[in-house]
Amino acid sequence: LSDSIGGSFSASSHRCHHKQKHCLPISQCGALSISPLLFHPHTKGSQIIMDTTQKAVKRQASFCNAITFSNRPIVIYEQVRLKITKKQCCWSGALRLGFTSKDPSRINPDTLPKYACPDLVSQSGFWAKALPEEFANEGNIIAFWVDKKGRVFYRVNDSAAMLFFSGVRTAEPLWALIDVYGLTRGVQLLDSEIIPPDCLRPRSFTAIRRPSLRRETEDTRLSVSLCDLNLQEETFHVTATTCPIPQNSLNSQHSHLLPSQLESDLRFHHLRGPHVKILDDQTVARLEHAREERTLVFTSRPLRINETIFVKINKSNAVRMGTLSYGVTSCDPSTLRPSDLPYNPESLVDRKEFWAICRVVVPLQSGDILGFMVNSDGELHLSHNGASTGMQVCVDCSQPLWMFFVLHGAVMQIRLLG
């Protein structure tokens, strides 16, 4: 089958992932004639700018309000193909892709929510999920489609097909849904393709041939709500507050880098992963499980704008690989149960709340002090032993944000200093 522009199809252009596998056309497609797949011209988010061909869109500002739809229903096994044309590195999260059984022509654009996930997918007739951020690089070509069983697959460039999600109702017409969210600033629709199921061999995420994908440096990134790191050499400013530095922090070789006064009201939340233990009046988090599987800990209260939170590496092990991960979320930990905390933080992207997560890329040793601050522009800044490492990620500071940490690798114990 060739690109679906209409008319007859040639079997010579099948893309097959089996060696010497002869792929026959889908019987229902032999005489199928469909129009080019374009963006819907009217039903789109308030931040979307569309070109005259209806093939390219760009989000003009912010990180949301950029939901788009296809101009016609898709066909089962029709691959919606798009190219990422613009990436904006300060935001977190990436494309949300899926389908809807609601005709976009019957949707009032003014009623579209900010986000496809969770706002639209919580409504009947909408299905979508976030593309892993590591695949959201400029130039990457993303294809996604639904099969007759309601399973949605995707591929990146020439990688094998991967199962994305399931549960789509295929008994009714389906339009493509593309939310140009977060890191993804612009996309272009390419000609769609209808490929017979026998030509597709879905693989799990872990089985993908990663060298075939255009990616950023792997050691600094997670595939949920990350941003490229902007390392800078500049002085990190802190604001003195009201309470003395706790005595148990004074033995740090870097304690002179702290302000003379620290607020002492900040603690770790009682909710924690089962493989981490909270000690010393809820100021210390210690790894309790060698497999490091569920080690999320949260602050006991939301962050304050321009507040710097200081964290000390109490214990590290240079033999172990990996480092500390950290982030912010709009999810109140009090609403969670321990069973809600995942083995893999990447699965947090499928929750309804805002989640942003990064890794500390500089080597960490026992006694090191990290400072975290979110300013009024939503920029999360990091310092290491008093030296700024620059803005790490842009976050939505219009709502309360709790900070969280994930202990793994060399970092085995941390302390909240204030």
Side-chain angles (χ1 to χ4, degrees), residues 129-194:
K129 189 174 179 179
L131 178 76
E133 288 188 21
E134 59 197 286
F135 302 147
N137 299 321
E138 284 187 18
N140 274 355
I141 295 176
I142 315 297
F144 67 101
W145 64 96
V146 63
D147 70 5
K148 62 183 180 181
K149 295 181 179 180
R151 298 176 300 181
V152 177
F153 299 87
Y154 78 104
R155 65 154 50 108
V156 184
N157 298 330
D158 294 322
S159 73
M162 292 173 283
L163 178 64
F164 203 13
F165 60 90
S166 58
V168 177
R169 296 196 302 267
T170 57
E172 45 197 330
L174 293 171
W175 286 259
L177 187 164
I178 301 168
D179 186 359
V180 188
Y181 177 85
L183 291 169
T184 310
R185 186 76 182 271
V187 297
Q188 176 187 357
L189 275 177
L190 306 178
D191 293 335
S192 61
E193 295 178 342
I194 303 175

Side-chain angles (χ1 to χ4, degrees), residues 246 248 264-270 277-285 298 300 414-417:
N248 54 22
S264 57
D265 67 323
L266 194 65
R267 298 286 188 273
F268 286 117
H269 198 277
H270 62 82
K277 190 171 184 178
I278 304 298
L279 306 166
D280 202 1
D281 196 23
Q282 292 184 264
T283 62
V284 171
F298 299 83
S300 57
I414 60 175
R415 178 186 293 276
L416 278 176
L417 299 179

Side-chain angles (χ1 to χ4, degrees), residues 38-73:
L38 307 173
F39 285 107
H40 194 280
H42 306 301
T43 307
K44 59 185 186 296
S46 61
Q47 293 296 327
I48 284 293
I49 299 175
M50 185 180 302
D51 74 351
T52 56
T53 68
Q54 295 176 229
K55 286 191 172 185
V57 294
K58 185 174 77 169
R59 189 183 70 245
Q60 58 183 336
S62 183
F63 63 96
C64 55
N65 287 307
I67 295 172
T68 65
F69 302 93
S70 62
N71 66 324
R72 62 163 173 82

Side-chain angles (χ1 to χ4, degrees), residues 5 33 76 94 151 160 223 237 260 309-310 329 336 346 376 401:
I5 303 300
S33 178
I76 299 299
R151 298 176 300 181
S223 63
H237 299 286
S260 58
I309 292 178
F310 292 98
T329 178
L336 299 174
E346 294 183 10
S376 58
L401 295 174

Side-chain angles (χ1 to χ4, degrees), residues 97-119:
L97 304 173
F99 298 97
T100 180
S101 58
K102 308 296 183 182
D103 184 347
S105 297
R106 297 174 177 264
I107 299 175
N108 182 346
D110 295 335
T111 66
L112 286 176
K114 287 183 176 182
Y115 318 106
C117 304
D119 297 352

Side-chain angles (χ1 to χ4, degrees), residues 383-403:
S383 70
H384 176 231
N385 294 332
S388 173
T389 60
M391 183 189 71
Q392 307 301 297
V393 65
C394 292
V395 300
D396 181 6
C397 62
S398 64
Q399 51 192 326
L401 295 174
W402 284 258
M403 192 157 195

Side-chain angles (χ1 to χ4, degrees), residues 259-334:
S260 58
Q261 300 286 316
L262 282 178
E263 290 185 356
S264 57
D265 67 323
L266 194 65
R267 298 286 188 273
F268 286 117
H269 198 277
H270 62 82
L271 180 87
R272 55 177 174 79
H275 301 147
V276 66
K277 190 171 184 178
I278 304 298
L279 306 166
D280 202 1
D281 196 23
Q282 292 184 264
T283 62
V284 171
R286 185 176 71 193
L287 193 64
E288 288 286 296
H289 195 279
R291 294 174 64 183
E292 312 169 8
E293 289 179 330
R294 298 170 69 189
T295 61
L296 272 167
V297 292
F298 299 83
T299 55
S300 57
R301 62 163 172 80
L303 307 178
R304 299 172 183 137
I305 297 299
N306 295 321
E307 169 186 47
T308 301
I309 292 178
F310 292 98
V311 174
K312 175 187 171 186
I313 308 301
N314 260 15
K315 185 177 180 181
S316 64
N317 186 342
V319 177
R320 298 161 66 100
M321 299 296 292
T323 185
L324 180 72
S325 295
Y326 64 93
V328 297
T329 178
S330 63
C331 178
D332 183 346
S334 300

